[in-house]
Amino acid sequence: MNSLPCQGCKGLCCGPVPVTEQELKGLKKKIKAMPFQQRNGLENQHRYFGTCIFYDLDNDKCGVHSARPAVCRAFGLHANLVCFRKPEAAAAGNWMADNDPVGVLSVDFTWKDFK
Ligand code: SF4
């Protein structure tokens, strides 16, 4: 279980992340299923420069948690993805993606791609 101390970091580790085709599909599904007000609220938040487009700054958490990409799930738990607030959690070896990414979320894919 991921028990990283994310609260309070305000998305510091949530920058542009690589996404696979499958992850992109999952994210699109997740965003489309959101009630309009929630989706609109998430889209229009003022984030720090470089923060992931899906970071929910108002609530200090990932806004698409159940559909987040594999690298986000792996973060903090692998030797090459260390959380500086809890480095001891990075007990697993280096993380490697199972599939090639089709682009980078927040750079190649922005909110306009999820409508
Ligand atoms: S998808 Fe969620 S966990 Fe991944 S970088 Fe974006 S806000 Fe962070």
Side-chain angles (χ1 to χ4, degrees):
M1 194 190 123
N2 189 335
S3 58
L4 298 172
C6 300
Q7 209 76 31
C9 268
K10 300 281 183 188
L12 198 64
C13 298
C14 293
V17 294
V19 279
T20 64
E21 197 167 349
Q22 203 55 35
E23 289 167 344
L24 204 54
K25 273 187 196 158
L27 284 164
K28 284 182 178 172
K29 206 171 154 191
K30 174 88 181 172
I31 296 295
K32 286 210 167 93
M34 270 183 197
F36 174 78
Q37 226 171 338
Q38 187 186 345
R39 193 172 64 217
N40 202 40
L42 187 61
E43 179 179 357
N44 293 305
Q45 286 189 21
H46 294 288
R47 298 178 179 84
Y48 298 113
F49 180 75
T51 301
C52 177
I53 57 167
F54 293 140
Y55 190 73
D56 183 347
L57 190 63
D58 292 351
N59 296 298
D60 197 12
K61 63 181 190 179
C62 174
V64 292
H65 197 255
S66 63
R68 68 198 189 286
V71 66
C72 307
R73 293 171 196 272
F75 189 83
L77 309 176
H78 293 261
N80 58 346
L81 294 170
V82 177
C83 165
F84 75 94
R85 288 176 70 193
K86 197 176 178 183
E88 67 275 18
N94 281 347
W95 180 81
M96 293 243 319
D98 289 338
N99 296 297
D100 287 339
V102 287
V104 176
L105 187 60
S106 306
V107 176
D108 300 310
F109 305 106
T110 59
W111 270 97
K112 67 175 171 33
D113 298 295
F114 295 91
K115 291 178 177 174

